[in-house]
Amino acid sequence: MDGYTLAAQLRRTRRRYRLSAASQALYYELVAIANEEGWPDTFKCSNGELCHVLSISENTLIAARHELTMNNLVDYKSGKGRRAFNTYSFLLNKSIKDCGISRDINQAFTEALPDDYNKLKEKPKPKQTVVVADCATAFDFFMSTKNKRLLVEQHKLTDEQLEWYFLVFYDSKVDLGDLNGKTLEDITKNFYYWMPKHLAAQQYQQKEKSCAKKESASPTRGVAAALQFTDVVMRE
């Protein structure tokens, strides 16, 4: 008898009968105790120890143990006195015996599983990075995307204007190293989000120039105004 066989028996039983979480936890704890003691035919354990380890009340323990005995998983004999150690043993169903489950086979399988699993497991493919050779390649890809249509509709731009802005964007990003290792999709997204900010900054600069021009074109006053309409010859 071994833990693999007993675990298989529990799985077979709970497919046919309803087992509470407490009864399953109790079963696995009893299996662990038997394993520590070298798999004797019978072993002893007190209610207090099981209640403490499983964090359950004694009433819950009694109910869980009753489930295991009713389903022919565990045999139980009560000790004398409240603090006495109770005797447990495992019952092996004939259907499990007939399966020919061997501890040696299961142990060998379990020990070999990690290496075999790592060999058979398909390693994830590394993310493929597209190296953009030049601006023309990136721009041609951008023109085939949905982002191109959105920018044209939002900002009323022609293809020639888009190409000029894309060149400005590409050159500035290359100088900063922001396009290193970027895919064509990444460059397209970056340009889509860069474009509105660049247009807004451009409009702000034009507005400032317009204001400065108006201030320089304001009418002169006083002596300066009079000199504009007087032919004055300055002495050398």
Side-chain angles (χ1 to χ4, degrees), residues 179-192:
L179 300 186
N180 294 340
K182 298 294 184 180
T183 63
L184 290 173
E185 291 82 0
D186 293 335
I187 295 176
T188 298
K189 291 179 181 178
N190 289 346
F191 177 68
Y192 178 76

Side-chain angles (χ1 to χ4, degrees), residues 6 16 19 32 39 51 53 73 84 98 103 114 124 151 177 213 228:
L6 295 173
R16 298 178 175 86
L19 294 176
W39 300 104
C51 290
V53 171
L73 292 171
D98 294 341
R103 183 184 180 187
L151 284 179
K213 185 177 181 180
Q228 288 183 353

